Amino acid sequence: MWIKLAFKLFAREFRRGELSIIFAAIALAVLTVFSLSSVTQRIGLNIEQKTSDFIAADRRLSSNHPIEPHILAKGAEFGLETAKMLFFDSMLFANEELILGSIKAVSPEYPLRGEVTLKDNLNGVPYEVRGGPKKGNVWLSEGLFYSLGLKVGDQVELGAGNFTVSKVLVNEPDAPFFSLAGNRRVLLSYDDIAATQAVQPGSRVFHRLLFAGQEQQLSDYYAWLKPQLKANQSWQGIKDRQSPLGNNLARAERFLLLAGLFGIMLAAVAMAVSAKRYCERQYDPVAMMKTLGGSRQVIRNIYLLHLSLVTGFSILVGLLLGFVLQHIGAAYLAKFMGTDLPVAGVRPWLLSVFIGIVCALMFSLKPLLDLFDIPPLRVLRRSLGDKLALSRIHIGLSLLTIFLLMWMFSEQLLTTLILFGSTLLVIAVLFGISRLVFSAGRKLGLSPGSSWSLAIATLQKRANANAVQLISFALAIKLMLFLVVLKNDMISDWQTQVPADAPNMFLINIGQSEVQPLDDFFEQNSITHEAFFPVFNARVDAVNGEELARRISRQEGEEKADSEREGVNREPNLTWLTELPEGNEITQGKWFDNNSQSDRIEVSVFDGWQERLDLELGDEISFLVNEQRFDAVVTSFRSVDWGTLKPNFVMILSPNMAGKVPVTYFSAAKLDNSHTKAISSLLQRYPTISMIDIKSRLEQAQSIIAQVSLAIGFVLAIVLISGALVLVSQVQASLAERMQEVVILRTLGARGRLIKLATLYEFLLLGAIAGLVAALVSDVTLLVIQQQLFDVDGKMHPYVWVLGPAVGAGFVALIGYFMVSNTMRQNTQGLLRKLG
């Protein structure tokens, strides 16, 4: 019997729009979470794929000695794509010319991520391919063609083998950003290694295995591999790379995560407000049903069924709209990115349904329980039951639910605590401000009949309701301001990392006798260039006599053993200088005193390596150059702006290092297309000099930044829409009370203009106060977020303190006035019918 009654009431309430608030709130929560999580997951996967191109795989295993065959075979068992690589140096001979080349032998599967750029001849048009050279063929970088006087189709001797030069090698996805191999790169088939006879027992070679697959597959494989890794083997991913790109990728992921958390918070606020308001509007019907003999059990069953129906229907609608929205957004972003975005997994679906159900239960169940306690006498005394409107249990459960949902979504306790704590701060500050402002309004002495007087009086009358509205408005404004400012800071920071005058070419392997001719060449062709730096490679072998441990994998979240001193698994490029280079700043210690008579060698270390190598001022670092060993004392630490792309060094030695080790020189220059012919002529005259063209690398990095910018813009749009809907739900919750006020004011003879202006001023005040508090709290929170989560020096944004109140007043006034304008246009008789 009660089921039939419940469905009749449900249909009636649905037609009247009584359930529209709670329905829209749940649908909003599901839509926001689904669209945000889907788009951010798809864009995150795409960005990871793009950045994986920089290592030609998702992960790579590097070793200084042969890797056991079963390690590669096991990767295939885990469902991973695999490829093999071997690096070694060997002599190339052709046309009576002999030169040392840097050989990279690859299996046919190379590269697993990204593409190799080739040309069919020196003047050909570059194009991209997947795979390596066929057996019996080699691909040579452009510098080797000039050095050996070759053309495509010629034969070249590599070690003991003869090979056909079939392509001009322009770029590899995993080409080193800076390497002394430079323009002497050779790509060889892995099957031709034996034919060269260059790899013998004791040869200095470098092995690498590439892996690509799903994250879970890679994690499972690494769990199996980790116990078998040798001290001189390392497992790496793109996030292990010390580069602006790796840092930017991590920042982008954290930003998209924050945006998702904000979406959940806004949806939760809308849900809590809407559920509470819906239940308040059912107080009178419940009191009437009890008066007519309805039992508590029947009433409970009716409204719980209503909640179940509206929850299920709103979740379905939210998923449908969210799917359409994320599909449209992803298609739009893919169009500008020039690539198809990967398909999101099942997590957004499960997460959205779970959050929709939790929101419905946690934010609606307690108001419903209060609803069942409404006394029958409320039909005579309308104030009975109003004390149930505010429940500490409901508030506590709502806050706990929001916190747990944010934690579950982010899986980062620190991030959740910072954002949740700032939200509680907004609530506390606004409650205090609302009491002060609304109580002070009585002492303003505004003249009777003015719109401002009426607005202040209305604010005083609804002090508690206005406090709740202020909190909702401020949260929405705070989150929007937070995302906008953070987005602007991030994009600005990324764009300044690659300045317009940044070099796009490195010249290396420059001999002492070639420095002056090159300097003259740059001057004659009006090419901007950097100084010529002496450079050599050295292995960081020990600190204070303690040998360094193998490198750990940051990609997998490893931590080194407490008993081991962390090391590095590459030989950094070192130099010596008399002056502190541009873009460097001493953070500890002091620069060299230029006392060349001292026998003590000093070293200035990049502060990023201070923690990595656990260094302190006065520590002694042991270096190994081939078989030559020398020690240097740490006298200073430096901050380095790597994003300028100008020559920088992790370690700089004191000037008295000059003459102790053999060196070459290198420089950097800014080239444009008009310099191509001149540079080609230069390389023909000086064939031992190598050129590293990083224009394609810069373009790839800038493309990734552009993708992140588009993603952030899309996420911001969703959050802005969510914030607007929160404001709409708050204003809609007070419509019935506002209709009563309009009826009373019109009955007392108030003019329509007076009522309209008073309503506008009321929303302006609420928005301005909410915007001011939101701006102050969001700026402080942003400072903490930047320092704790983004590892950058945070800064305050005074312009936000003005922008917040202005935007808040305009935004709230526009939406609020629009929502109630229809009410004010109706005549008194029509309003009375609706109230009845």
Side-chain angles (χ1 to χ4, degrees), residues 360-498:
L361 290 177
M362 298 304 296
F363 299 137
S364 300
L365 198 56
K366 182 59 174 65
L368 279 178
L369 294 177
D370 289 340
L371 178 63
F372 306 146
D373 291 332
I374 293 298
L377 284 178
R378 181 180 170 88
V379 296
L380 298 177
R381 295 177 58 187
R382 299 293 299 276
S383 62
L384 288 177
D386 285 349
K387 64 181 181 180
L388 300 174
L390 289 177
S391 168
R392 294 181 180 179
I393 297 177
H394 182 213
I395 294 173
L397 287 176
S398 299
L399 293 176
L400 179 62
T401 301
I402 293 175
F403 178 81
L404 293 177
L405 289 177
M406 292 172 63
W407 189 8
M408 181 189 70
F409 184 82
S410 68
E411 298 178 352
Q412 294 185 8
L413 182 59
L414 178 61
T415 304
T416 304
L417 285 173
I418 293 174
L419 295 180
F420 191 74
S422 67
T423 301
L424 293 182
L425 179 61
V426 169
I427 294 174
V429 171
L430 281 174
F431 262 121
I433 290 179
S434 64
R435 294 296 181 184
L436 290 175
V437 171
F438 301 149
S439 61
R442 298 186 177 93
K443 303 176 183 178
L444 291 179
L446 295 176
S447 61
S450 78
S451 299
W452 279 109
S453 297
L454 183 56
I456 295 296
T458 305
L459 289 175
Q460 294 170 358
K461 178 184 176 183
R462 286 199 300 264
N464 290 333
N466 286 332
V468 175
Q469 281 192 337
L470 269 177
I471 292 171
S472 299
F473 294 159
L475 286 179
I477 297 169
K478 166 183 171 286
L479 299 183
M480 289 185 284
L481 285 175
F482 190 98
L483 286 183
V484 169
V485 175
L486 183 57
K487 179 236 183 187
N488 291 338
D489 281 1
M490 287 177 61
I491 299 302
S492 175
D493 181 53
W494 291 344
Q495 290 173 342
T496 56
Q497 285 182 359
V498 186

